[in-house]
Amino acid sequence: MQSLHFSYPQGALVEVEATCMFVVQLSCYAHQWRLELPSVISDVLGSVRSLCHTLISLLIRPRFLQHVLEKPHRLEAVTEELLTPVRLHHQSSSSSICSDDLDKPTELLVQTQARFLRVLMLGLSVFKNFSPNILELFDVSLDVTLFEPVLEIGFSTPALERDAGLSFGSLITLANFTVRMLMKADHGQMSSPGIGPDVPASRSALTYLMESTVMVLMCQACLYLKDPRLPSRDKQLLKRELSTELNSYLMATYRYVRRGAPPSPGSGGHLSRSPVLQVSPKTPGGKAQSVKLYTFSTAKEQEFFRLVQQFVNGVLK
């Protein structure tokens, strides 16, 4: 898992995926593993975190990834443009969805991205198995010090650095990337249940990855907020930054469901446009600003988004 950084042969990716599948199976026995082999578990989690960070930082730089895949021995030709991440926030219209992406990604690039996404799904499964269930986190008797955080408190876009840690910003970037891929799939083939050749995964796989990513974010946030060892200043930073990022994510998913996602049978695919009044942090003048947010409907396929919205309004306030 530690071999991937600037070289991504398909054979190595297959081995990494198989290794991650094995680690997922082991992580089902996380409690026993934590008790009997604490040093091993720390090393394995560290490797999975580093791997996930690397893959996310590459997914959001498709030009760089394609350049490395085509010319692995010409890293000196890498330019600042190749290293610039694609925009993942605040798409103003469906026509801007692909504006920062490659017009014609190569088949090798799409295949590599698909492999990256499969590995990331496995990595997130490991993180979920080593985290308490989100409902358990509201049990006052739960000892959160028994769980090792898998995310660092940080909200910057993941950089292409070997020693960079997996942070909240890394997974927020991944969640936004999956929403963008879902919008891209629907934008390219509005009337077809299939996906285009330049979208590296199916809608169901992207949806699963998106929900797993946000669930890990919420669980890890609860772990930090319940940890008595964490200074209150850091807790306030976590609440403020994660609330802002998840609200942006919810607005992106709102646009996706409203304009991009095909409604499921019997759901009607409608969203309630009743605004929710939320008070933002005070301005320098001491006055609070109110922000109107759209609420999701009671349709079954929007239950997860309502859960995230309740988490933001209830836990991160």
Side-chain angles (χ1 to χ4, degrees):
M1 289 187 292
Q2 296 175 340
S3 63
L4 294 181
H5 193 62
F6 287 127
S7 179
Y8 321 103
Q10 293 300 308
L13 290 173
V14 171
E15 292 180 5
V16 167
E17 185 175 354
T19 302
C20 287
M21 290 178 67
F22 178 63
V23 174
V24 171
Q25 296 300 316
L26 292 177
S27 67
C28 294
Y29 306 94
H31 180 67
Q32 296 93 319
W33 198 357
R34 188 180 292 109
L35 290 176
E36 298 180 15
L37 298 168
S39 60
V40 174
I41 196 173
S42 179
D43 291 341
V44 171
L45 278 176
S47 295
V48 176
R49 285 195 294 258
S50 177
L51 173 65
C52 289
H53 171 88
T54 298
L55 298 187
I56 295 169
S57 63
L58 288 166
L59 280 173
I60 62 173
R61 295 173 174 87
R63 293 186 179 89
F64 172 77
L65 180 56
Q66 181 161 294
H67 174 86
V68 175
L69 290 171
E70 294 177 347
K71 304 171 183 177
H73 304 297
R74 293 191 58 190
L75 290 180
E76 69 279 359
V78 172
T79 63
E80 184 176 350
E81 181 183 5
L82 292 177
L83 294 173
T84 302
V86 296
R87 284 186 294 115
L88 299 177
H89 287 291
H90 312 304
Q91 309 288 2
S92 59
S93 66
S94 59
S95 62
S96 67
I97 293 171
C98 309
S99 60
D100 287 324
D101 208 348
L102 293 169
D103 293 331
K104 294 181 180 179
T106 63
E107 182 179 355
L108 178 59
L109 174 63
V110 176
Q111 290 176 350
T112 303
Q113 289 177 322
R115 184 79 65 178
F116 282 9
L117 293 176
R118 290 198 293 272
V119 172
L120 284 168
M121 281 189 274
L122 294 170
L124 288 165
S125 295
V126 173
F127 298 150
K128 287 195 291 185
N129 288 340
F130 280 105
S131 301
N133 183 282
I134 192 166
L135 295 179
E136 293 179 314
L137 288 163
F138 292 95
D139 183 353
V140 294
S141 64
L142 179 68
D143 185 1
V144 296
T145 61
L146 297 176
F147 297 90
E148 178 184 353
V150 298
L151 299 181
E152 297 178 0
I153 298 180
F155 294 89
S156 59
T157 302
L160 284 169
E161 297 177 2
R162 186 183 295 272
D163 298 326
L166 188 72
S167 66
F168 282 91
S170 304
L171 290 198
I172 289 165
T173 299
L174 179 58
N176 288 323
F177 176 85
T178 56
V179 174
R180 179 172 169 275
M181 287 294 102
L182 286 165
M183 295 176 71
K184 183 177 179 180
D186 292 327
H187 179 69
Q189 293 190 357
M190 296 293 289
S191 60
S192 172
I195 59 173
D198 58 342
V199 177
S202 66
R203 288 190 183 94
S204 59
L206 289 168
T207 301
Y208 174 81
L209 178 59
M210 175 186 68
E211 293 184 359
S212 297
T213 301
V214 177
M215 187 60 70
V216 170
L217 281 168
M218 294 191 294
C219 289
Q220 289 294 304
C222 286
L223 270 180
Y224 273 116
L225 294 175
K226 287 176 67 70
D227 191 341
R229 299 167 299 182
L230 187 69
S232 58
R233 180 179 61 182
D234 293 338
K235 291 181 179 181
Q236 289 302 317
L237 171 67
L238 176 59
K239 283 184 176 183
R240 182 177 66 251
E241 295 297 329
L242 187 57
S243 175
T244 299
E245 295 292 348
L246 286 181
N247 274 324
S248 295
Y249 159 79
L250 286 170
M251 290 304 296
T253 57
Y254 173 84
R255 289 192 295 271
Y256 166 64
V257 175
R258 185 183 63 176
R259 297 187 299 186
S264 62
S267 69
H270 296 298
L271 288 172
S272 169
R273 198 165 173 135
S274 303
V276 176
L277 195 63
Q278 180 175 345
V279 178
S280 67
K282 290 185 177 182
T283 62
K287 295 182 179 180
Q289 295 176 326
S290 61
V291 180
K292 289 185 178 181
L293 300 178
Y294 292 105
T295 59
F296 293 92
S297 78
T298 56
K300 185 175 181 180
E301 74 275 7
Q302 295 175 32
E303 287 179 350
F304 181 76
F305 302 138
R306 293 200 307 274
L307 171 64
V308 178
Q309 196 166 50
Q310 290 169 0
F311 176 81
V312 172
N313 294 333
V315 177
L316 300 182
K317 270 191 174 181

Short mmCIF file of all heavy atoms in Angstrom, two decimals, residues 254-303:
data_model
loop_
_atom_site.label_atom_id
_atom_site.label_comp_id
_atom_site.label_asym_id
_atom_site.label_seq_id
_atom_site.Cartn_x
_atom_site.Cartn_y
_atom_site.Cartn_z
N TYR A 254 -28.41 18.95 -3.09
CA TYR A 254 -29.74 19.49 -3.41
C TYR A 254 -29.85 19.78 -4.90
O TYR A 254 -30.84 19.42 -5.55
CB TYR A 254 -30.02 20.75 -2.60
CG TYR A 254 -31.31 21.44 -3.00
CD1 TYR A 254 -32.52 21.02 -2.47
CD2 TYR A 254 -31.32 22.46 -3.94
CE1 TYR A 254 -33.71 21.61 -2.85
CE2 TYR A 254 -32.49 23.06 -4.33
CZ TYR A 254 -33.68 22.64 -3.78
OH TYR A 254 -34.86 23.22 -4.18
N ARG A 255 -28.84 20.43 -5.45
CA ARG A 255 -28.86 20.72 -6.88
C ARG A 255 -28.84 19.43 -7.70
O ARG A 255 -29.50 19.34 -8.74
CB ARG A 255 -27.66 21.60 -7.25
CG ARG A 255 -27.77 23.03 -6.75
CD ARG A 255 -26.71 23.91 -7.41
NE ARG A 255 -25.37 23.51 -7.03
CZ ARG A 255 -24.73 23.97 -5.97
NH1 ARG A 255 -25.32 24.85 -5.17
NH2 ARG A 255 -23.51 23.56 -5.69
N TYR A 256 -28.08 18.43 -7.20
CA TYR A 256 -28.01 17.17 -7.93
C TYR A 256 -29.38 16.48 -7.95
O TYR A 256 -29.85 16.03 -9.01
CB TYR A 256 -26.98 16.25 -7.27
CG TYR A 256 -27.08 14.82 -7.74
CD1 TYR A 256 -26.84 14.48 -9.06
CD2 TYR A 256 -27.42 13.81 -6.84
CE1 TYR A 256 -26.93 13.17 -9.49
CE2 TYR A 256 -27.52 12.50 -7.26
CZ TYR A 256 -27.27 12.19 -8.58
OH TYR A 256 -27.38 10.89 -9.00
N VAL A 257 -30.03 16.40 -6.81
CA VAL A 257 -31.34 15.73 -6.74
C VAL A 257 -32.38 16.51 -7.53
O VAL A 257 -33.22 15.95 -8.22
CB VAL A 257 -31.78 15.55 -5.28
CG1 VAL A 257 -33.18 14.97 -5.20
CG2 VAL A 257 -30.81 14.64 -4.55
N ARG A 258 -32.31 17.84 -7.46
CA ARG A 258 -33.32 18.67 -8.12
C ARG A 258 -33.17 18.64 -9.63
O ARG A 258 -34.16 18.60 -10.36
CB ARG A 258 -33.21 20.11 -7.62
CG ARG A 258 -34.32 21.01 -8.17
CD ARG A 258 -34.12 22.44 -7.71
NE ARG A 258 -32.88 23.01 -8.23
CZ ARG A 258 -32.52 24.27 -8.03
NH1 ARG A 258 -33.26 25.07 -7.30
NH2 ARG A 258 -31.37 24.72 -8.53
N ARG A 259 -31.93 18.64 -10.13
CA ARG A 259 -31.73 18.78 -11.57
C ARG A 259 -31.09 17.58 -12.22
O ARG A 259 -31.30 17.34 -13.40
CB ARG A 259 -30.87 20.00 -11.86
CG ARG A 259 -31.51 21.30 -11.42
CD ARG A 259 -30.69 22.47 -11.88
NE ARG A 259 -29.34 22.46 -11.33
CZ ARG A 259 -28.47 23.44 -11.49
NH1 ARG A 259 -28.80 24.48 -12.21
NH2 ARG A 259 -27.28 23.37 -10.95
N GLY A 260 -30.28 16.82 -11.45
CA GLY A 260 -29.51 15.78 -12.10
C GLY A 260 -29.98 14.37 -11.84
O GLY A 260 -30.05 13.55 -12.74
N ALA A 261 -30.30 14.04 -10.59
CA ALA A 261 -30.58 12.65 -10.26
C ALA A 261 -31.93 12.21 -10.77
O ALA A 261 -32.92 12.91 -10.60
CB ALA A 261 -30.52 12.46 -8.74
N PRO A 262 -32.01 11.04 -11.39
CA PRO A 262 -33.31 10.52 -11.81
C PRO A 262 -34.11 10.10 -10.59
O PRO A 262 -33.57 9.43 -9.71
CB PRO A 262 -32.92 9.30 -12.67
CG PRO A 262 -31.59 8.89 -12.18
CD PRO A 262 -30.90 10.14 -11.72
N PRO A 263 -35.39 10.50 -10.48
CA PRO A 263 -36.18 10.12 -9.32
C PRO A 263 -36.41 8.63 -9.27
O PRO A 263 -36.54 7.97 -10.30
CB PRO A 263 -37.49 10.88 -9.53
CG PRO A 263 -37.57 11.11 -11.00
CD PRO A 263 -36.17 11.28 -11.46
N SER A 264 -36.43 8.07 -8.06
CA SER A 264 -36.69 6.65 -7.92
C SER A 264 -38.18 6.39 -8.08
O SER A 264 -39.00 7.28 -7.87
CB SER A 264 -36.23 6.17 -6.55
OG SER A 264 -36.94 6.83 -5.53
N PRO A 265 -38.56 5.16 -8.47
CA PRO A 265 -39.97 4.85 -8.67
C PRO A 265 -40.80 5.10 -7.41
O PRO A 265 -40.44 4.67 -6.33
CB PRO A 265 -39.94 3.35 -9.03
CG PRO A 265 -38.57 3.11 -9.55
CD PRO A 265 -37.68 4.05 -8.80
N GLY A 266 -41.89 5.79 -7.59
CA GLY A 266 -42.80 6.03 -6.48
C GLY A 266 -42.44 7.16 -5.57
O GLY A 266 -43.19 7.51 -4.66
N SER A 267 -41.26 7.77 -5.79
CA SER A 267 -40.84 8.83 -4.87
C SER A 267 -41.31 10.20 -5.31
O SER A 267 -41.45 11.10 -4.51
CB SER A 267 -39.31 8.84 -4.76
OG SER A 267 -38.74 9.27 -5.98
N GLY A 268 -41.50 10.37 -6.61
CA GLY A 268 -41.88 11.69 -7.11
C GLY A 268 -40.70 12.58 -7.32
O GLY A 268 -40.74 13.53 -8.07
N GLY A 269 -39.57 12.29 -6.62
CA GLY A 269 -38.34 13.05 -6.82
C GLY A 269 -38.45 14.52 -6.48
O GLY A 269 -37.74 15.34 -7.03
N HIS A 270 -39.31 14.91 -5.53
CA HIS A 270 -39.50 16.32 -5.22
C HIS A 270 -38.78 16.68 -3.93
O HIS A 270 -38.63 15.86 -3.02
CB HIS A 270 -40.98 16.64 -5.08
CG HIS A 270 -41.76 16.46 -6.35
ND1 HIS A 270 -41.50 17.17 -7.50
CD2 HIS A 270 -42.77 15.61 -6.66
CE1 HIS A 270 -42.33 16.80 -8.46
NE2 HIS A 270 -43.10 15.84 -7.97
N LEU A 271 -38.38 17.92 -3.85
CA LEU A 271 -37.80 18.47 -2.65
C LEU A 271 -38.69 19.56 -2.10
O LEU A 271 -39.28 20.31 -2.86
CB LEU A 271 -36.42 19.08 -2.95
CG LEU A 271 -35.28 18.10 -3.24
CD1 LEU A 271 -34.07 18.89 -3.70
CD2 LEU A 271 -34.95 17.30 -2.02
N SER A 272 -38.76 19.62 -0.78
CA SER A 272 -39.50 20.71 -0.17
C SER A 272 -38.69 21.98 -0.27
O SER A 272 -37.50 21.99 0.00
CB SER A 272 -39.77 20.38 1.31
OG SER A 272 -40.26 21.52 1.97
N ARG A 273 -39.31 23.04 -0.70
CA ARG A 273 -38.58 24.27 -0.85
C ARG A 273 -38.82 25.19 0.35
O ARG A 273 -38.67 26.40 0.27
CB ARG A 273 -39.00 24.95 -2.15
CG ARG A 273 -37.99 25.99 -2.58
CD ARG A 273 -38.19 26.42 -4.02
NE ARG A 273 -37.32 27.51 -4.32
CZ ARG A 273 -36.60 27.60 -5.41
NH1 ARG A 273 -36.62 26.63 -6.28
NH2 ARG A 273 -35.85 28.65 -5.64
N SER A 274 -39.24 24.62 1.46
CA SER A 274 -39.44 25.40 2.68
C SER A 274 -38.08 25.76 3.25
O SER A 274 -37.29 24.89 3.60
CB SER A 274 -40.23 24.60 3.71
OG SER A 274 -41.46 24.20 3.17
N PRO A 275 -37.75 27.03 3.34
CA PRO A 275 -36.43 27.39 3.83
C PRO A 275 -36.31 27.19 5.33
O PRO A 275 -37.25 27.36 6.08
CB PRO A 275 -36.32 28.88 3.47
CG PRO A 275 -37.73 29.35 3.44
CD PRO A 275 -38.56 28.20 2.96
N VAL A 276 -35.11 26.78 5.73
CA VAL A 276 -34.79 26.66 7.14
C VAL A 276 -33.96 27.86 7.54
O VAL A 276 -32.98 28.19 6.87
CB VAL A 276 -33.99 25.36 7.40
CG1 VAL A 276 -33.58 25.28 8.86
CG2 VAL A 276 -34.82 24.15 7.01
N LEU A 277 -34.34 28.52 8.60
CA LEU A 277 -33.61 29.71 9.03
C LEU A 277 -32.47 29.29 9.93
O LEU A 277 -32.68 28.66 10.96
CB LEU A 277 -34.54 30.66 9.78
CG LEU A 277 -34.03 32.08 9.97
CD1 LEU A 277 -33.84 32.76 8.63
CD2 LEU A 277 -34.99 32.88 10.83
N GLN A 278 -31.27 29.61 9.53
CA GLN A 278 -30.10 29.26 10.31
C GLN A 278 -29.29 30.52 10.59
O GLN A 278 -29.11 31.36 9.72
CB GLN A 278 -29.23 28.25 9.55
CG GLN A 278 -28.00 27.83 10.31
CD GLN A 278 -27.25 26.76 9.57
OE1 GLN A 278 -27.76 26.14 8.66
NE2 GLN A 278 -26.02 26.52 9.97
N VAL A 279 -28.81 30.62 11.83
CA VAL A 279 -28.05 31.81 12.21
C VAL A 279 -26.57 31.53 12.03
O VAL A 279 -26.04 30.57 12.55
CB VAL A 279 -28.33 32.20 13.68
CG1 VAL A 279 -27.51 33.40 14.09
CG2 VAL A 279 -29.81 32.48 13.85
N SER A 280 -25.94 32.37 11.25
CA SER A 280 -24.50 32.22 11.00
C SER A 280 -23.72 32.96 12.07
O SER A 280 -24.28 33.71 12.86
CB SER A 280 -24.17 32.78 9.62
OG SER A 280 -24.37 34.18 9.62
N PRO A 281 -22.39 32.74 12.13
CA PRO A 281 -21.58 33.47 13.10
C PRO A 281 -21.74 34.99 12.95
O PRO A 281 -22.01 35.50 11.86
CB PRO A 281 -20.14 33.03 12.76
CG PRO A 281 -20.31 31.70 12.11
CD PRO A 281 -21.61 31.79 11.35
N LYS A 282 -21.55 35.70 14.04
CA LYS A 282 -21.76 37.15 14.04
C LYS A 282 -20.75 37.86 13.15
O LYS A 282 -19.61 37.43 13.02
CB LYS A 282 -21.66 37.69 15.46
CG LYS A 282 -22.84 37.28 16.34
CD LYS A 282 -22.76 37.94 17.69
CE LYS A 282 -23.97 37.60 18.54
NZ LYS A 282 -23.92 38.26 19.85
N THR A 283 -21.22 38.92 12.55
CA THR A 283 -20.36 39.76 11.73
C THR A 283 -19.49 40.63 12.63
O THR A 283 -19.74 40.73 13.83
CB THR A 283 -21.21 40.64 10.81
OG1 THR A 283 -22.01 41.50 11.63
CG2 THR A 283 -22.12 39.80 9.94
N PRO A 284 -18.46 41.25 12.06
CA PRO A 284 -17.63 42.15 12.88
C PRO A 284 -18.45 43.21 13.61
O PRO A 284 -18.06 43.67 14.67
CB PRO A 284 -16.67 42.77 11.86
CG PRO A 284 -16.56 41.73 10.79
CD PRO A 284 -17.93 41.11 10.70
N GLY A 285 -19.58 43.62 13.07
CA GLY A 285 -20.41 44.62 13.73
C GLY A 285 -21.26 44.06 14.85
O GLY A 285 -21.98 44.80 15.52
N GLY A 286 -21.21 42.75 15.05
CA GLY A 286 -21.95 42.16 16.15
C GLY A 286 -23.33 41.67 15.77
O GLY A 286 -24.06 41.17 16.60
N LYS A 287 -23.72 41.80 14.50
CA LYS A 287 -25.05 41.38 14.08
C LYS A 287 -24.98 40.01 13.43
O LYS A 287 -24.05 39.71 12.68
CB LYS A 287 -25.64 42.39 13.08
CG LYS A 287 -25.89 43.76 13.69
CD LYS A 287 -26.51 44.70 12.67
CE LYS A 287 -26.79 46.06 13.28
NZ LYS A 287 -27.40 46.98 12.27
N ALA A 288 -25.96 39.19 13.73
CA ALA A 288 -26.01 37.86 13.13
C ALA A 288 -26.69 37.93 11.77
O ALA A 288 -27.59 38.73 11.55
CB ALA A 288 -26.77 36.91 14.05
N GLN A 289 -26.24 37.08 10.87
CA GLN A 289 -26.83 37.01 9.55
C GLN A 289 -27.67 35.74 9.46
O GLN A 289 -27.30 34.70 9.99
CB GLN A 289 -25.74 36.96 8.47
CG GLN A 289 -24.91 38.22 8.41
CD GLN A 289 -23.80 38.06 7.39
OE1 GLN A 289 -23.26 36.98 7.21
NE2 GLN A 289 -23.47 39.14 6.73
N SER A 290 -28.80 35.81 8.78
CA SER A 290 -29.62 34.62 8.59
C SER A 290 -29.42 34.09 7.18
O SER A 290 -29.31 34.86 6.23
CB SER A 290 -31.10 34.95 8.81
OG SER A 290 -31.53 35.91 7.88
N VAL A 291 -29.34 32.76 7.08
CA VAL A 291 -29.11 32.12 5.79
C VAL A 291 -30.25 31.15 5.54
O VAL A 291 -30.59 30.35 6.40
CB VAL A 291 -27.77 31.36 5.79
CG1 VAL A 291 -27.54 30.71 4.45
CG2 VAL A 291 -26.63 32.30 6.13
N LYS A 292 -30.86 31.22 4.37
CA LYS A 292 -31.94 30.31 4.04
C LYS A 292 -31.39 29.07 3.34
O LYS A 292 -30.67 29.17 2.37
CB LYS A 292 -32.96 31.01 3.12
CG LYS A 292 -33.77 32.08 3.85
CD LYS A 292 -34.84 32.66 2.94
CE LYS A 292 -35.68 33.69 3.69
NZ LYS A 292 -36.74 34.25 2.83
N LEU A 293 -31.73 27.91 3.92
CA LEU A 293 -31.30 26.65 3.35
C LEU A 293 -32.52 25.87 2.90
O LEU A 293 -33.56 25.92 3.53
CB LEU A 293 -30.53 25.83 4.39
CG LEU A 293 -29.25 26.46 4.95
CD1 LEU A 293 -28.65 25.54 5.99
CD2 LEU A 293 -28.25 26.72 3.83
N TYR A 294 -32.37 25.11 1.84
CA TYR A 294 -33.45 24.26 1.39
C TYR A 294 -33.46 22.97 2.21
O TYR A 294 -32.43 22.46 2.59
CB TYR A 294 -33.26 23.92 -0.09
CG TYR A 294 -33.45 25.10 -1.01
CD1 TYR A 294 -32.36 25.73 -1.59
CD2 TYR A 294 -34.72 25.59 -1.28
CE1 TYR A 294 -32.53 26.81 -2.43
CE2 TYR A 294 -34.90 26.68 -2.11
CZ TYR A 294 -33.80 27.28 -2.69
OH TYR A 294 -33.97 28.35 -3.51
N THR A 295 -34.65 22.46 2.48
CA THR A 295 -34.78 21.21 3.21
C THR A 295 -35.13 20.10 2.23
O THR A 295 -35.78 20.32 1.22
CB THR A 295 -35.88 21.30 4.28
OG1 THR A 295 -37.13 21.63 3.65
CG2 THR A 295 -35.53 22.36 5.31
N PHE A 296 -34.70 18.90 2.56
CA PHE A 296 -34.99 17.75 1.72
C PHE A 296 -36.36 17.19 2.07
O PHE A 296 -36.85 17.33 3.18
CB PHE A 296 -33.91 16.69 1.91
CG PHE A 296 -32.56 17.12 1.39
CD1 PHE A 296 -31.65 17.74 2.23
CD2 PHE A 296 -32.21 16.91 0.07
CE1 PHE A 296 -30.41 18.15 1.76
CE2 PHE A 296 -30.98 17.31 -0.40
CZ PHE A 296 -30.08 17.93 0.44
N SER A 297 -36.96 16.53 1.10
CA SER A 297 -38.30 16.00 1.30
C SER A 297 -38.25 14.71 2.11
O SER A 297 -37.19 14.23 2.50
CB SER A 297 -38.96 15.73 -0.06
OG SER A 297 -38.46 14.53 -0.61
N THR A 298 -39.40 14.13 2.37
CA THR A 298 -39.49 12.89 3.12
C THR A 298 -39.35 11.67 2.23
O THR A 298 -39.57 10.54 2.68
CB THR A 298 -40.84 12.82 3.86
OG1 THR A 298 -41.90 12.97 2.90
CG2 THR A 298 -40.95 13.92 4.90
N ALA A 299 -38.99 11.86 0.96
CA ALA A 299 -38.79 10.73 0.05
C ALA A 299 -37.68 9.83 0.60
O ALA A 299 -36.70 10.30 1.19
CB ALA A 299 -38.42 11.23 -1.34
N LYS A 300 -37.84 8.53 0.40
CA LYS A 300 -36.93 7.56 1.01
C LYS A 300 -35.49 7.77 0.58
O LYS A 300 -34.55 7.65 1.39
CB LYS A 300 -37.38 6.14 0.68
CG LYS A 300 -36.56 5.06 1.38
CD LYS A 300 -37.11 3.68 1.12
CE LYS A 300 -36.27 2.63 1.85
NZ LYS A 300 -36.79 1.26 1.61
N GLU A 301 -35.27 8.09 -0.72
CA GLU A 301 -33.90 8.21 -1.21
C GLU A 301 -33.20 9.47 -0.69
O GLU A 301 -32.01 9.66 -0.92
CB GLU A 301 -33.86 8.19 -2.75
CG GLU A 301 -34.35 9.47 -3.41
CD GLU A 301 -35.86 9.49 -3.58
OE1 GLU A 301 -36.53 8.58 -3.07
OE2 GLU A 301 -36.36 10.41 -4.24
N GLN A 302 -33.95 10.32 0.01
CA GLN A 302 -33.34 11.53 0.57
C GLN A 302 -33.16 11.44 2.09
O GLN A 302 -32.80 12.43 2.74
CB GLN A 302 -34.19 12.74 0.21
CG GLN A 302 -34.22 13.01 -1.30
CD GLN A 302 -35.14 14.13 -1.68
OE1 GLN A 302 -35.33 15.08 -0.94
NE2 GLN A 302 -35.73 14.04 -2.87
N GLU A 303 -33.39 10.26 2.66
CA GLU A 303 -33.25 10.09 4.11
C GLU A 303 -31.84 10.40 4.58
O GLU A 303 -31.64 11.02 5.63
CB GLU A 303 -33.62 8.66 4.50
CG GLU A 303 -35.11 8.35 4.43
CD GLU A 303 -35.41 6.92 4.79
OE1 GLU A 303 -34.45 6.11 4.91
OE2 GLU A 303 -36.60 6.59 4.97
#
